[in-house]
Every structure is written in C-alpha cells, then in structure tokens.
C-alpha cells in the first residue's frame, strides 16, 4: 500500500493483494520512488519547519521504504516505522535501512490501513500518508484513525492531489495532438471506478483541509512540489514513463479511440523510431500536493 509513487498515481491496483507478485514488482517500485527522491526531499525540508525533533515518524503506506529511509536521513533523531500491507515490500524496506545505516531506529509493521496503526507502540509525532488514503473506502473514517494515532501536537502530512503527469509535448509528430490530455480523462474515469469499488466506499468531496478538520485536526499548510526532469530523459525516467503508459495501456476499455490506441501502441513499441524508447523529447513533469494538520496539545 505504498506511495512509492504513485508513483502511486499509476499503481492504483497495487492494493489488490491477491493478484500481485510483490517480490517481482518491488525493484520497479523502488526505482520509481528513487526517481521522485528530489521531490520527497523538498517536501521533508518543508515539513521540518513545523515538525521539529520528532520522536516517532510513521510512513503509512510505505511500499519498499524509499521515502521511509529519506525520513530517517532528514530527521536523524527520529525512530521510523514503515507500515504497509505487503510483507515483501517491507522486507525491501528493512534491507534498505540496513544498507543506509539506519536500521537501529527503523522498524516495520505489516497490515492493512488504518486498523494496523493500532499496533504502534506509542503515538506518532509525524504521520505521513502519501497517496495511500485514496485506496481506503471511507477516507473520513481513515483520517480520524490516523489522527487518533498522533501525539498531542503531532502532525499528519497527507499527500493527495496535484496535477496530471506530463511526459511528452502536446504534438508528438504522430497521431492527433493532445494524446496525454485524452488519456488523463480515461484515467480519471478509471480512478473514479476504482474508488467506488473499494470495500466500504463513501463518497467525499476532495477538500482535504476540510476533511482533516473533520478528523479533529487543525489544518496548517498546503504546498505543491514539482518533479521536473527535462528532456532528454535519463534511462530511469524513460523506464518510468514506459512503465506508466504500459500500465495504462493494459486497462484501456473497449471502444477507446482507435487512432489514439494506435499512437499509444507505437509509443510503446521499442522497434518504432517514434517510440518512448527512442524519442529525445521524453520528460517527466509531475506536481504532488501535501496538506498538513496538527492535533491539539
């Protein structure tokens, strides 16, 4: 249940634990999270202005632990607990903490959010939930559960929202211009369907500060962080783009515009000169928004 990143934006079905091979997916998820490291580091620097010397930081939906370990490096006096529904991903997180020399203050808890947070030994000074909340059917109830695990004066940092990603120019020289905008609409429909099919689904207006207030917290700040990896893309960035659009291609429903589908297939074909594998104009531009709220002392 991560935030790798979203990389969660393109990994919405990661929570279907019955159908996914987590051990096989872990390297790709870890690589994607590493690609976003600069964005997370800036977010942590921003958080450090209001969360000073936290004793316990909880990464709720940690995935393979890339962000959890960044928290350990940013806050050297804190104990870090990575929480995720996938034990194979948590194994990866523990190995990473060992490699980075932070294992002595790093631990993991396997289980489903938000109930598993009841296993924490003591309340959190900072609870980070990066694109994990929207995988929970009743988001309002989940936020109340998150808030209940905060120490007095503790901060909940919620990464939800932002802008659709961009990987290519509007006109890519093949097909009809504006392909990514049309794919955005398709993905938005899929996301809505994913939400409505979650167990215990409750419709909510996505006013995150208002929802944080409804959980008994005092909304503090909101800030959007940009990941700007210009063309020509690095090999890791290119792999991320190919993986993201390949994942989307697998979910395209019947009746999708045939010309757009043909263009997407060309972009994904490594033998095509116009493909993502060969183009010089591939980039990554993403905006992720973080909302914070504080529990009363």
């Amino acid at each position: 249940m991560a935030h790798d990143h979203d990389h969660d934006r393109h990994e919405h079905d990661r929570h279907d634990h019955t159908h996914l091979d987590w051990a096989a997916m872990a390297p790709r998820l870890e690589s994607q999270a590493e690609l976003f490291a600069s964005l997370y580091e800036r977010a942590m620097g921003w958080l450090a202005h209001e969360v000073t010397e936290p004793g316990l930081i909880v990464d709720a939906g940690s995935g393979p632990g890339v962000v959890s370990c960044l928290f350990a490096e940013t806050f050297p006096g804190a104990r870090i607990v990575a929480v995720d529904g996938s034990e194979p991903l948590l194994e990866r997180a523990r190995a990473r903490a060992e490699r980075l020399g932070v294992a002595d203050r790093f631990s993991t808890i396997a289980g489903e959010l938000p109930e598993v947070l009841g296993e924490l030994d003591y309340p959190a000074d900072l609870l980070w939930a990066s694109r994990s909340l929207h995988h929970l059917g009743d988001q309002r109830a989940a936020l109340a559960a998150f808030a209940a695990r905060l120490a007095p004066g503790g901060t909940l940092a919620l990464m939800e929202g932002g802008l659709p990603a961009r990987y290519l120019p509007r006109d890519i020289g093949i097909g009809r211009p504006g392909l990514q905008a049309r794919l955005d609409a398709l993905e938005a429909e899929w996301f809505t369907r994913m939400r409505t099919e979650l167990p215990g689904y409750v419709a909510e207006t996505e006013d995150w500060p208002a929802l944080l207030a409804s959980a008994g917290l005092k909304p503090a700040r909101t800030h959007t962080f940009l990941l700007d990896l210009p063309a020509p893309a690095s090999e890791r960035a290119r792999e991320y783009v190919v993986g993201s659009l390949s994942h989307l291609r697998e979910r395209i429903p019947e009746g999708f515009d045939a010309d757009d589908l043909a263009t997407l297939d060309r972009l994904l074909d490594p033998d095509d000169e116009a493909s993502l594998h060969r183009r010089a104009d591939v980039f990554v531009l993403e905006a992720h928004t973080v909302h914070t709220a504080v529990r009363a002392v």
Side-chain angles (χ1 to χ4, degrees), residues 210-221:
L211 284 169
L212 289 165
S214 77
L217 302 175
K218 181 181 179 181
R221 298 191 295 166

Side-chain angles (χ1 to χ4, degrees), residues 15-157:
H15 296 268
D16 184 358
H17 296 283
T18 59
H19 292 93
L20 295 173
D21 184 343
W22 294 104
M25 290 179 67
R28 180 169 68 90
L29 297 176
E30 193 164 6
S31 178
Q32 289 180 357
E34 289 169 350
L35 184 70
F36 280 73
S38 62
L39 181 151
Y40 291 122
E41 288 167 352
R42 291 194 302 277
M44 289 176 196
W46 179 75
L47 285 171
H49 288 293
E50 67 182 49
V51 183
T52 57
E53 299 184 1
L56 174 64
I57 298 174
V58 175
D59 185 357
S62 65
V66 174
V67 176
S68 310
C69 289
L70 286 175
F71 271 117
E73 294 173 351
T74 304
F75 297 93
R79 176 187 164 199
I80 313 297
V81 178
V83 181
D84 200 88
S86 165
E87 180 56 37
L89 294 184
L90 292 177
E91 289 176 12
R92 196 100 177 178
R94 290 190 292 270
R96 187 180 191 87
E98 189 72 42
R99 288 197 307 274
L100 295 175
V102 297
D104 59 329
R105 52 191 179 88
F106 187 96
S107 59
T108 63
I109 299 176
E112 296 302 319
L113 291 170
E115 296 81 8
V116 69
L117 295 177
E119 297 182 23
L120 292 171
D121 292 337
Y122 54 92
D125 299 296
L126 172 61
L127 193 152
W128 167 264
S130 173
R131 301 197 166 192
S132 54
L133 182 68
H134 63 236
H135 293 288
L136 305 177
D138 191 339
Q139 296 177 109
R140 187 180 295 262
L143 283 175
F146 289 176
R149 301 311 306 171
L150 290 174
T155 295
L156 173 58

Side-chain angles (χ1 to χ4, degrees), residues 135-280:
H135 293 288
L136 305 177
D138 191 339
Q139 296 177 109
R140 187 180 295 262
L143 283 175
F146 289 176
R149 301 311 306 171
L150 290 174
T155 295
L156 173 58
L158 182 70
M159 182 179 276
E160 289 287 350
L163 295 172
R166 283 291 174 269
Y167 308 133
L168 291 163
R170 184 191 66 89
D171 191 335
I172 59 175
I174 59 172
R176 186 159 58 101
L179 174 65
Q180 268 206 270
R182 295 189 294 279
L183 293 176
D184 288 343
L186 184 71
E187 189 156 29
E189 292 177 7
W190 184 90
F191 183 85
T192 298
R193 187 168 64 253
M194 180 278 293
R195 284 277 313 141
T196 60
E197 293 173 355
L198 288 171
Y201 165 71
V202 177
E204 290 286 359
T205 300
E206 292 177 355
D207 181 345
W208 302 114
L211 284 169
L212 289 165
S214 77
L217 302 175
K218 181 181 179 181
R221 298 191 295 166
T222 294
H223 192 78
T224 297
F225 298 90
L226 191 68
L227 181 70
D228 182 8
L229 306 176
S234 67
E235 192 57 37
R236 174 175 281 171
R238 192 179 297 273
E239 288 175 1
Y240 169 68
V241 173
V242 170
S244 297
L245 292 184
S246 296
H247 185 68
L248 180 60
R249 173 66 178 86
E250 293 168 1
R251 296 182 281 113
I252 287 180
E254 300 245 347
F256 186 66
D257 184 88
D259 290 338
D260 279 347
L261 193 60
T263 301
L264 184 56
D265 284 340
R266 285 194 65 186
L267 286 171
L268 294 172
D269 180 359
D271 294 327
D272 195 311
E273 288 296 330
S275 77
L276 295 168
H277 302 268
R278 304 187 181 204
R279 305 180 67 95

